[in-house]
Amino acid sequence: MTSSIMFSIAYFLLLVSLYMRMRYRQAKRHNRFIYLRTEMVLFCLFVYTNILFYLTVFPNRFSAPRDQVSVNLIPFHSIDQNLHAYHHGYPNLVFLNLAGNILLFVPLGFFLYQTFRTMRWQKAVLAGFILSAMIEVLQWIFSQSGIITRSSDIDDIILNTLGTAIGCIVYQMYRRRKEKIR
């Protein structure tokens, strides 16, 4: 096994044990019951956000070469470039960038809307927007300091926010279907 895989496994196991300990102590301190369904959804949200940060902030195979690191503050500019690349025979680039950014945030909308049932979908989408903007700022800061080589792009924020909204819609459809079955 490579050292990055070993580090990832150790990091994940450490976070899982810290999370479980924190939730147990919190429930014990407030004399609350621990509901398995709620804990599983919160745990999935916790694991998802850690994987999300691992994929987007830490150095990995998606990191760009140092000479290709850029900042795009023009909305829809890189989306237009990706669609242009698609028409010139690079469909993998389009799927990785456009669909990947959308699909990466669909679980966030689903888990947020499921975990916090009183939350309106607008707040879940706003949370997705804020998390995406935070990731892009971290990518820019870490790229400037030389820690990672990632590009920051306003279009990533747009696509990630769209993914969060789609996740909310998927959860609403799931909930309606579940209610019909009852």
Side-chain angles (χ1 to χ4, degrees):
M1 283 191 176
T2 64
S3 61
S4 64
I5 292 174
M6 296 289 283
F7 173 77
S8 301
I9 291 171
Y11 171 79
F12 181 73
L13 291 175
L14 177 68
L15 283 178
V16 167
S17 62
L18 289 174
Y19 172 80
M20 291 173 69
R21 180 177 165 91
M22 178 197 70
R23 291 294 297 167
Y24 175 75
R25 291 182 82 198
Q26 186 179 28
K28 190 174 179 181
R29 185 178 327 128
H30 296 291
N31 285 332
R32 292 187 180 159
F33 291 107
I34 297 176
Y35 296 100
L36 183 61
R37 182 193 167 281
T38 303
E39 292 305 314
M40 289 192 62
V41 172
L42 282 172
F43 180 73
C44 287
L45 182 61
F46 175 79
V47 169
Y48 163 76
T49 53
N50 279 286
I51 291 171
L52 180 69
F53 274 103
Y54 176 76
L55 290 174
T56 58
V57 177
F58 295 108
N60 57 41
R61 66 186 186 108
F62 299 113
S63 297
R66 210 171 266 293
D67 62 335
Q68 292 182 5
V69 173
S70 64
V71 175
N72 173 33
L73 299 176
I74 303 168
F76 304 107
H77 179 70
S78 67
I79 293 172
D80 184 50
Q81 285 181 332
N82 283 314
L83 293 175
H84 185 73
Y86 178 79
H87 293 299
H88 286 76
Y90 297 100
N92 292 341
L93 175 68
V94 174
F95 179 76
L96 182 65
N97 197 18
L98 299 183
N101 274 310
I102 292 170
L103 293 174
L104 196 60
F105 272 69
V106 169
L108 180 68
F110 187 90
F111 288 137
L112 279 177
Y113 214 48
Q114 184 177 18
T115 304
F116 307 104
R117 293 183 179 184
T118 59
M119 177 184 280
R120 303 184 78 152
W121 69 268
Q122 294 95 335
K123 286 186 179 181
V125 171
L126 179 63
F129 171 80
I130 291 170
L131 181 62
S132 178
M134 188 172 72
I135 288 169
E136 293 300 318
V137 168
L138 285 173
Q139 286 179 343
W140 179 77
I141 290 170
F142 291 161
S143 289
Q144 295 300 310
S145 64
I147 296 172
I148 62 170
T149 54
R150 302 296 294 258
S151 295
S152 297
D153 194 340
I154 189 75
D155 292 343
D156 289 352
I157 297 172
I158 293 168
L159 295 169
N160 296 157
T161 305
L162 176 62
T164 306
I166 291 170
C168 291
I169 292 167
V170 168
Y171 179 71
Q172 286 176 340
M173 291 169 39
Y174 165 76
R175 191 173 69 193
R176 285 186 187 132
R177 183 174 172 95
K178 188 176 173 183
E179 288 172 0
K180 281 184 181 180
I181 293 173
R182 288 183 182 179

